[in-house]
Amino acid sequence: MTTSDKPENASETPAEPTGVAAQDWTKASADPQYRAAVVDLLGALAYGELAAFERLAEDAKLAPTLADKAELAKMASAEFHHYEKLRDRLAEIGEEPTLAMEPFVAALDGFHRQTAPSDWLEGLVKAYVGDSIASDFYREVAARLDADSRELVLAVLDDTGHAGFAVEKVRAAIDAEPRVGGRLALWARRLMGEALSQSQRVVADRDALSTMLVGGVADGFDLAEVGRMFSRITEAHTKRMAALGLAA
């Protein structure tokens, strides 16, 4: 997934894992509800990576230079390799990857239809801001996963290089034509709303995943923590907007 750097408010010295987070997959997956939640999570991530690959390949067509086109092609390739890791992991634990991804196709495709960029700059902002919101959400969830699943999820959320690339290109465009900033700021706010709505819909529609977030699967989040989680995601979004030179 094309992401920015990790949120600045992430702890420098995270607490020692406890509960499920201190277990490996073999032990944690003995709980069928937990297993179902992780399969959902990996399925959602896998389709997200596949969709990101497809979208970056499309966005490359809007690139103003050959160098920009090549950069996006490289990022698209990285997204596909992330997808392959998730696909292989699903198969390894005895799940059919396409079946695991299927429940999330409509929501993710709907999000991308509603937020289709009209030009190159909107595409960059979407990759930097929109995808980063989803990545922040998945990182929050990863903190409560078993050690094996957490390692995989964090690995596929690694930045593919779009963060610095997007910031450089967007800031240069605003410096050259300041009025572009207003349009892109409105676009980024729309992306924020759509991305948060999509995350909430995905969780609400999948019982095992929602139960893991609000409590009921081992040491899942409680409702108050869910609220704090979305506050942290919003704060990280504000910082990314500032990095782009846009008002949140």
Side-chain angles (χ1 to χ4, degrees):
M1 189 168 292
T2 318
T3 70
S4 73
D5 49 352
K6 297 175 185 176
E8 292 179 20
N9 54 347
S11 173
E12 292 294 330
T13 54
E16 279 296 310
T18 59
V20 168
Q23 299 174 10
D24 62 13
W25 168 252
T26 300
K27 184 173 182 179
S29 63
D31 179 344
Q33 193 173 39
Y34 175 79
R35 178 187 176 91
V38 173
V39 170
D40 272 352
L41 183 65
L42 298 184
L45 269 171
Y47 189 68
E49 297 291 346
L50 190 57
F53 159 74
E54 184 178 33
R55 193 186 73 246
L56 282 170
E58 281 294 311
D59 287 352
K61 297 176 182 177
L62 301 172
T65 70
L66 285 176
D68 292 335
K69 188 184 294 287
E71 189 69 23
L72 285 192
K74 181 176 72 175
M75 293 173 191
S77 176
E79 301 291 5
F80 191 76
H81 288 313
H82 287 168
Y83 157 74
E84 290 180 313
K85 287 182 181 180
L86 292 158
R87 178 202 62 194
D88 293 348
R89 177 57 175 167
L90 283 163
E92 181 184 346
I93 63 175
E95 300 291 335
E96 168 55 50
T98 56
L99 292 180
M101 290 189 290
E102 187 62 38
F104 307 100
V105 171
L108 287 167
D109 284 357
F111 169 75
H112 289 306
R113 278 196 304 272
Q114 292 163 4
T115 59
S118 62
D119 61 19
W120 161 251
L121 291 174
E122 285 189 2
L124 289 179
V125 171
K126 179 178 177 180
Y128 179 60
V129 172
D131 287 359
S132 293
I133 294 166
S135 294
D136 285 348
F137 170 75
Y138 288 126
R139 282 194 185 94
E140 293 275 358
V141 177
R144 301 302 177 106
L145 297 177
D146 64 274
D148 298 321
S149 299
R150 182 170 63 252
E151 182 180 3
L152 173 62
V153 169
L154 293 177
V156 300
L157 293 177
D158 276 350
D159 180 25
T160 59
H162 215 132
F165 181 74
V167 169
E168 176 188 350
K169 296 294 181 179
V170 171
R171 291 194 74 105
I174 294 172
D175 288 344
E177 189 177 352
R179 66 178 182 175
V180 168
R183 173 173 67 86
L184 294 179
L186 289 173
W187 171 244
R189 290 184 201 119
R190 179 183 168 192
L191 290 170
M192 174 67 172
E194 292 287 351
L196 287 179
S197 295
Q198 177 217 339
S199 298
Q200 291 165 345
R201 283 196 301 271
V202 166
V203 171
D205 289 345
R206 306 299 294 176
D207 290 343
L209 199 54
S210 61
T211 301
M212 183 172 70
L213 276 175
V214 301
V217 175
D219 53 348
F221 294 113
D222 58 23
L223 287 171
E225 177 58 22
V226 171
R228 290 190 290 270
M229 175 184 73
F230 281 107
S231 293
R232 289 192 293 270
I233 291 171
T234 301
E235 181 182 347
H237 167 74
T238 300
K239 292 175 180 177
R240 289 189 184 102
M241 291 285 281
L244 288 171
L246 302 174

